[in-house]
Structures are given as C-alpha cells and as structure tokens.
C-alpha cells in the first residue's frame, strides 16, 4: 500500500480540483489537455525511461489513433467506440510489424528510424486529402457517449480523461514493480548482461513498445473526439519532440516525473501567452539546460534533494540526541 | 524522355550537393566526438538567413558570403563551448536531446530576429538558363556543384595532408591516445564543430538563391543531411558525400516519376530500408560493439 501512496494523493488531487473549482479555465479546459498529455508522457516514459530506448516519432501513434477515429466516424458513420477499437487494432498491427526491425537499432540509428517513421506518417496525413482533408484537417468528429451519457462539456471530458489518465499512471507504476519491469530495468542497464541473465530482451522491448504505442493511440482517439477536429499539425515532428521534452523534464524513468513534465510543458505556453514568439526558444533552452545541468530531470532532481535534506537533518538530530 | 531524366538528374545533383555538405558536417562531428549533431541543419539556416540580413544592411555579395560563413562558425563554436563540452561523457540519448534542444533554440532565435518571412538570396551570377537539349540549368546550379566539389576536395586535403587534420583524425581514433601524444583534444573537437558549421553555412548560401530560406528551413535539411550520412555509412566522410548526392538524385527521380507530394517521405523510406537491412550504410564498415 505504501508503494501507491503517491498515486492516491495524486488521484485525490485530480478528483478534488474540479469539485473545488468547477468553473476554473485552468482546471476544466487546460486540465483536459494536461490529462491527455500526461497519458502520452507516461506511455512514452515506459519506452524511453524504463526500457532506455529513444523514440522521436511517438506523435505518429497519437495521430494514427486520432485519424482512424475521425475518418471512420465522419466518413463511414462507424460507432465511435468501435472506431477506437479499430484504431487500437491497427496500431497494434503496425507497432508489431515495425517493432522487430526498428528495435534492433540503437542510439542514433533508433532515433533516426523512429523520427523517419513519424515524418512518413505525418506526410501521409497531409497527402491523402480525400480521407484526411489534407493540411486543413477534418472537422465534425462526433462526441463520445457512454451508455446514453453524452460527453459534451469540458467538465465531462475532464472526468473521462482523468479516469483514463489515472489508469495509465497506475499501469505504469505497477509495471515498474513487476517481473516485466525488472526485465525492462535490466535491458536499460545493459542489454547483453540482461540477455546472459536469461531475459528475452527482444520480446521485452517489443512488448513495451507496443504497449506504449497502444496507450498513445487511445489518447489520440480521445483527442479527436474531444476536439471534434484533427489536423496534421497536431501530430508533427515538433509534437514528438514536445513529448520527449515532457519525459526528460520530469526525469526519465519516473512515472510522476512524466506527469510533472506534462503539466509544466502544457501550462508553460498558457502562462507565456504574452511571449508567444519566445515559446520555441524557451522549449529549446529547457531541453538543453535540463540535459546539461540536471540530466536526471527536474522532478527527480528536486525529490532527491529533498530526501537528502531530510536524511541529513534526521542524522543531525540523531547525533544531538 | 531522356531530356526529362537529365532535368531530374540536374535538380537531384544540385539538391544532393547540399545534403552532401550537411552530411559531411555530421560525419566530421560524429567522428571527432561521437555526437550526432541534430543542430547541423540549423547551421544551413543561420548561414542563409544571416546572409539575407547582411545584404539588407547594404554590404556587397562577396563580403556578405564571408560574413555569414563567419557568423555561422561562431554559432558552431558556441554550440560546442556552451552545450556539448559541459555534457562530456553523457549517454547517447542525452547528447541527442541536447543537440535537438540546441536546434530548437536556434530556430526560436531565428524566429525572433528574422520573423516568419521567406527570403531568397540573389543568384551569384547571371540568371539566364543554359539549355542542354530540352533540359535547362541555371548558372546557380553550376555554382552549387562546382563549389561543393571544391569544398569536399579541400576538406579531404585538410584531413589527409595537414597536421591539424591528422590530429583531429587522431582524436577520432582514440581520444586518450591522442591526448597522450600531446594533441590538444578539446581544441580539435572545437575545430571540428567550426568546420561542420562552415560546411552548413556554405550549403545554405549555395542553395538559398534556388530554394529560398526561412527560420524553419533547417529541420528538413538537417534530417536529410543526417540521412545522407547514414546512407553513406556513419563515420565515413566521403561516404556521407556520396550518400548525399545519391539521396538527392533518388528523391528527384521519385518526385518526378512517382509523386511529388511524397518526395520527403521517399527519402525517409530509403533511410528506413537502409537501417533495417544494412545499418552500416553503403560505404561503412561493420564494427563490433564494445560491451
């Protein structure tokens, strides 16, 4: 139970915010985007933080979820939930097919391959105008409804996204402590050492890649229905980098680090709205300085510093007593 | 039929020359410091954009070219001094993220200084097309090809014949050994960032009269340059040059015969195939990984 204390505190916070401030713009409007970004950052962290791999193309899976849902519901009148299932199935197939050749690569090569994959998917979104509406995107994606309960307000979306988000955080927290999580950590440390210890590294990496892609795809479908609009800009190379920034800012390998990174990176442009032109510059500066000065991430760094301070103080108290 | 092919080849070799220069920059930095510099494309942008700025101030073209190359070299040196040097011994993922951060930072800075407009540089000489059969070619195309060939030759000469070039190669081989024989390793690393920036700037200046430039022109060029380096085989500098020209030609043929909308996608498809089936590239040697 102690292991999940952090989760319960976080869940309580997520639930109490809209109850205390139901009309706050930052809670109900920005909160929905934050929730989506948390799902994305937590899933990317599974792949980058836990398995020690790198993906510069995760926006592609987000976009595949969003576009599959949008195309099936608007062009073919498919039930939104069925469309989500189809999207998940499609991404599962794609992720499984590319996992083997892509995950054989390491470092720069893996970065380049995921990046190339992301760009190709984005170009398809722009080019296949008859399905995707091209660069203008497509509007009129119908809202979701749950047993006749139409999800049509910011507050209702907050609830739905919060549930999915808490679920993905829980999944992520539990994976670390599981057998699979230990295998991931071993792969992260040294693949060859993990292999000699009997870990099936290929299978482990593939599984976490597919899981990460599926969570990301699900968030994409939700995004399409929530925005009622999709366009290629939301899924381009820069968004992939933004996701990496979230994970890195919080601290690679920490679930709550990813949560923290997603919150900060989503709130930053909202708060800096007066400095619109500086946004890109600030993103770049954050990425660089975190990696140079605090490679373990802001959240993890602060948490460690606090822990050390507490330990020092109690040690001193122990000496005096 | 043949004229059309010739036209595609001219376009392909011209664009490919830019990729070749950017790819060569990648290879030089990768060889010297084991860092893949994702900000390489930004050097191209800074070169071209600062040239536009110097022209606007009223300087004559030759002076503009020299000044903008120098400006870019300063940016390259600053990138090494301010970012890369502090992160010595960092993991591959860390250095990738640092250089991507640097690229985004430079792009943001360019956006602030020059705005979102698209600029063009004047052609270096006449703009009258030269006819070759039914195909045409601008004098600027010749400028691109000739200057690229010259620069590649000079870089090759630098690494083969000069003491400093050999010293940099020494660092690439074994940094500790290089240090032990008295080579100033940090200076050599700094120099290789300067050379890479210079190559990027030259590429930007050559292509800007034909392809225009804007604050975000660096991303695609950088990625294509990186692709060129991978296609040729990372670590082989002349491989990067060949990879660049080859990529340019394949892209141009693909755009002409298959679909122009999928031009960029084609380059990345080629790279994915190369990575999947021959990750060491066309001219690279297979090496065992140290554990």
């Amino acid at each position: 139970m102690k292991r999940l204390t952090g989760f319960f505190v976080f869940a309580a916070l997520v639930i109490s915010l809209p109850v205390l401030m139901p009309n706050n713009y930052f809670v109900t409007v920005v909160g929905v985007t934050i929730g989506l970004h948390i799902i994305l950052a937590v899933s990317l962290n599974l792949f980058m933080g836990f398995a020690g791999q790198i993906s510069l193309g995760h926006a592609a899976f987000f976009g595949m979820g969003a576009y599959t849902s949008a195309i099936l519901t608007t062009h073919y009148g498919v039930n939104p939930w069925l469309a989500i299932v189809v999207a998940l199935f499609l991404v599962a197939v794609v992720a499984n097919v590319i996992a083997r050749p892509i995950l054989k690569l390491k470092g720069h090569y893996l970065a380049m391959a995921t990046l190339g994959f992301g760009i190709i998917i984005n170009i398809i979104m722009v080019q296949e105008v008859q399905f995707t509406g091209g660069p203008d995107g497509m509007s009129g994606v119908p809202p979701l409804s749950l047993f006749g309960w139409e999800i049509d307000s910011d507050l209702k979306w907050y609830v739905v996204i919060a549930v999915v988000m808490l679920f993905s955080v829980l999944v992520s927290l539990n994976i670390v402590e599981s057998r699979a999580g230990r295998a991931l950590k071993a792969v992260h440390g040294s693949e060859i050492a993990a292999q000699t210890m009997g870990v099936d590294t290929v299978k482990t990496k593939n599984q976490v890649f597919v899981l990460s892609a599926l969570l990301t795809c699900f968030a994409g479908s939700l995004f399409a229905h929530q925005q009622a609009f999709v366009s290629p800009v939301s899924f381009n190379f820069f968004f992939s980098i933004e996701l990496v920034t979230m994970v890195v800012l919080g601290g690679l390998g920490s679930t709550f680090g990813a949560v923290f990174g997603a919150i900060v990176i989503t709130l930053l442009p909202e708060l800096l709205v007066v400095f619109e032109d500086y946004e890109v510059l600030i993103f770049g500066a954050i990425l660089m300085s975190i990696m140079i000065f605090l490679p373990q991430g802001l959240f993890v760094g602060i948490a460690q510093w606090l822990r050390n301070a507490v330990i020092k103080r109690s040690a001193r108290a122990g000496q005096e007593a | 039929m043949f004229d059309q092919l010739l036209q595609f080849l001219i376009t392909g070799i011209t664009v490919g020359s830019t990729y070749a220069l950017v790819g060569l920059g990648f290879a030089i930095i990768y060889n010297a410091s084991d860092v893949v510099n994702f900000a390489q494309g930004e050097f191209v942008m800074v070169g071209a954009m600062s040239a536009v700025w110097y022209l606007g101030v009223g300087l004559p073209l030759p002076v503009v070219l020299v000044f903008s190359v120098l400006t870019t070299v300063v940016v390259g040196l600053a990138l090494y001094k301010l970012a890369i040097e502090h992160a010595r011994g960092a993991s591959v993922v860390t250095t990738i993220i640092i250089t991507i951060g640097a690229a985004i930072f430079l792009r943001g800075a360019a956006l602030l200084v020059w705005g979102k407009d698209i600029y063009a540089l004047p052609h270096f000489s006449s703009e009258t097309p030269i006819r070759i059969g039914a195909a045409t070619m601008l004098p600027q195309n010749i400028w691109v090809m000739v200057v690229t060939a010259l620069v590649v030759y000079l870089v090759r000469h630098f690494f083969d014949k000069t003491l400093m070039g050999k010293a940099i190669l020494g660092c690439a081989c074994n940094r500790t050994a290089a240090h032990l024989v008295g080579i100033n390793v940090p200076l050599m690393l700094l120099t290789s960032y300067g050379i890479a920036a210079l190559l990027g700037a030259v590429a930007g200046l050559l292509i800007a009269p034909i392809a225009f430039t804007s604050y975000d022109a660096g991303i695609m060029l950088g990625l294509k340059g990186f692709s060129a380096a991978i296609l040729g085989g990372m670590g082989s500098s002349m491989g990067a040059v060949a990879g660049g020209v080859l990529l340019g030609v394949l892209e141009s043929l693909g755009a002409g015969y298959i679909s122009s909308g999928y031009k960029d996608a084609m380059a990345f498809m080629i790279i994915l195939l190369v990575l999947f089936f021959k990750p060491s590239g066309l001219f690279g040697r297979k090496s065992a990984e140290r554990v």
Side-chain angles (χ1 to χ4, degrees), chain B residues 172-237:
Chain B
C173 260
N174 186 329
R175 228 170 289 170
T176 321
H179 181 72
L180 285 174
V181 295
I183 293 172
N184 184 346
V185 177
L187 182 67
M188 294 307 128
L189 293 181
L190 185 66
T191 312
S192 58
Y193 277 80
I195 297 174
L198 180 137
L199 291 172
V202 172
L205 293 170
L206 287 172
I207 204 73
I210 307 177
F212 309 113
T213 182
S214 61
Y215 80 100
D216 60 354
I219 318 170
M220 264 303 163
L221 279 169
L223 296 179
K224 298 286 178 64
F226 187 16
S227 304
I230 286 185
L231 187 58
M234 294 284 277
S236 149
S237 53

Side-chain angles (χ1 to χ4, degrees), chain B residues 2-245:
Chain B
F2 177 74
D3 293 327
Q4 207 184 11
L5 180 67
L6 188 65
Q7 189 72 63
F8 293 148
L9 282 178
I10 292 170
T11 316
I13 294 174
T14 308
V15 181
S17 301
T18 329
Y19 301 164
L21 288 178
V22 182
L24 184 56
F26 264 114
I28 289 173
I29 286 188
Y30 180 72
N31 272 338
S33 62
D34 283 331
V35 169
V36 165
N37 173 27
F38 276 89
Q40 187 73 23
E42 265 31 61
F43 294 155
V44 182
M45 180 273 291
V46 171
M49 292 296 269
S50 58
V52 170
W53 191 77
Y54 288 126
L55 264 181
V57 176
L59 297 171
L61 192 62
V63 180
V64 165
L65 297 182
V66 174
F67 273 25
S68 46
V69 168
L70 289 178
T71 309
T72 315
V73 169
V74 170
V75 171
L77 299 180
L79 172 72
Y80 177 75
K81 270 286 163 197
L82 300 178
I84 310 289
E85 203 181 42
H86 293 283
R88 204 174 301 152
S91 72
V92 173
V93 174
T94 309
T95 55
I96 289 176
I97 296 171
I98 290 175
T99 55
I100 288 181
I104 295 174
F105 183 82
L106 287 173
R107 192 143 48 92
L111 178 66
L112 281 182
V113 180
W114 294 301
K116 285 187 176 167
D117 296 332
I118 294 171
Y119 301 96
L121 281 177
H123 289 238
F124 292 0
S125 52
S126 132
E127 289 185 40
T128 330
I130 303 159
R131 302 199 70 85
I132 310 167
T136 59
M137 177 172 197
L138 291 165
Q140 187 70 26
N141 289 76
I142 301 174
W143 274 107
V144 176
M145 294 173 199
V146 171
V147 175
T148 301
L150 185 71
V151 169
V152 170
Y153 172 77
L154 285 177
V155 167
R156 178 120 216 205
H157 181 83
F158 174 77
F159 281 110
D160 281 353
K161 297 277 162 21
T162 68
L163 194 60
M164 188 162 202
K166 285 179 183 168
I168 294 181
L169 286 181
C171 300
C173 260
N174 186 329
R175 228 170 289 170
T176 321
H179 181 72
L180 285 174
V181 295
I183 293 172
N184 184 346
V185 177
L187 182 67
M188 294 307 128
L189 293 181
L190 185 66
T191 312
S192 58
Y193 277 80
I195 297 174
L198 180 137
L199 291 172
V202 172
L205 293 170
L206 287 172
I207 204 73
I210 307 177
F212 309 113
T213 182
S214 61
Y215 80 100
D216 60 354
I219 318 170
M220 264 303 163
L221 279 169
L223 296 179
K224 298 286 178 64
F226 187 16
S227 304
I230 286 185
L231 187 58
M234 294 284 277
S236 149
S237 53
M238 288 307 123
V241 174
V245 177

Side-chain angles (χ1 to χ4, degrees), chain A residues 48 52-54 56 101-102 104-109 111-113 115-117 119-120 123-124 127-128 192 237-238 241 244 248 252 277-278 280-281 283-285 287-288 291-292, chain B residues 30 34 36 38 82-83 86 92-94 96-98 100-102 104-105 107-109 111-112 219-220 223 226-227 230 234 261-262 264-265 268-269 271-272 275-276 279 289 291:
Chain A
M48 278 185 63
Q53 310 294 308
I54 184 164
L56 301 181
I102 268 196
K104 258 198 296 191
L105 305 167
K106 287 186 186 62
H108 309 119
Y109 297 99
M112 186 65 206
L115 186 156
F117 169 72
I119 291 182
I120 291 172
I123 292 174
I124 295 176
Q127 292 298 326
E128 294 304 314
I192 290 164
F237 172 59
F238 190 66
I241 302 299
V244 174
V248 165
L252 281 166
D277 287 344
Y278 288 87
V280 185
L281 193 84
F283 267 133
L287 259 187
M288 259 197 300
M291 280 287 102
I292 296 171
Chain B
Y30 180 72
D34 283 331
V36 165
F38 276 89
L82 300 178
H86 293 283
V92 173
V93 174
T94 309
I96 289 176
I97 296 171
I98 290 175
I100 288 181
I104 295 174
F105 183 82
R107 192 143 48 92
L111 178 66
L112 281 182
I219 318 170
M220 264 303 163
L223 296 179
F226 187 16
S227 304
I230 286 185
M234 294 284 277
Y262 279 104
D264 290 332
F268 291 107
M269 278 307 281
I271 287 316
L272 281 182
L275 284 175
F276 291 168
E289 198 196 345
V291 181

Side-chain angles (χ1 to χ4, degrees), chain A residues 22-211:
Chain A
N23 293 316
N24 188 308
Y25 169 79
F26 279 100
V27 174
T28 50
V29 180
V30 184
V32 172
T33 314
I34 292 181
L36 277 170
H37 285 174
I38 290 178
I39 304 173
L40 297 175
V42 165
S43 359
L44 183 58
N45 182 51
L46 289 177
F47 184 61
M48 278 185 63
F50 292 170
Q53 310 294 308
I54 184 164
S55 169
L56 301 181
H58 246 54
F61 295 121
F62 186 51
M64 285 166 85
Y67 267 101
T68 311
S69 279
I71 291 171
L72 288 180
T73 50
T74 49
H75 291 342
Y76 303 101
V78 175
N79 177 291
W81 291 105
L82 184 63
I84 291 179
V85 173
V86 175
L88 288 171
F89 181 73
L90 182 78
V91 165
V93 171
V94 172
N96 263 306
V97 168
I98 63 167
R100 212 159 256 275
I102 268 196
L103 297 182
K104 258 198 296 191
L105 305 167
K106 287 186 186 62
H108 309 119
Y109 297 99
L110 180 61
M112 186 65 206
T114 50
L115 186 156
F117 169 72
I119 291 182
I120 291 172
I121 298 291
N122 199 245
I123 292 174
I124 295 176
M125 290 171 192
V126 177
Q127 292 298 326
E128 294 304 314
V129 181
Q130 74 270 34
F131 294 113
T132 63
D136 299 332
M138 50 198 302
S139 51
V141 185
L144 280 179
S145 64
L146 209 60
F147 308 113
W149 185 60
E150 190 102 341
I151 309 168
D152 52 6
S153 73
D154 289 333
L155 205 58
K156 286 180 184 172
W157 269 113
Y158 181 94
V159 174
V160 172
I161 304 251
V163 169
V164 180
M165 184 264 284
L166 288 174
F167 171 75
S168 50
V169 170
L170 196 60
V171 166
S172 173
L173 286 172
N174 277 321
I175 283 182
V176 205
E177 302 295 331
S178 70
R179 194 184 157 82
R182 286 194 296 275
L184 281 178
K185 272 187 221 162
V187 169
H188 190 168
S190 159
E191 248 174 73
I192 290 164
Q195 239 159 27
T196 46
M197 295 302 291
V199 175
D200 187 341
T201 54
V202 177
K203 201 172 126 200
T204 311
K205 281 197 291 183
N206 285 11
Q207 280 171 343
V208 75
F209 181 69
V210 174
L211 175 66

Side-chain angles (χ1 to χ4, degrees), chain B residues 253-278:
Chain B
L253 292 178
Y257 290 119
I258 305 170
S259 150
S260 60
Y262 279 104
K263 186 184 75 136
D264 290 332
M266 241 161 317
F268 291 107
M269 278 307 281
I270 296 169
I271 287 316
L272 281 182
L273 290 176
V274 170
L275 284 175
F276 291 168
F277 296 109
K278 200 171 184 309

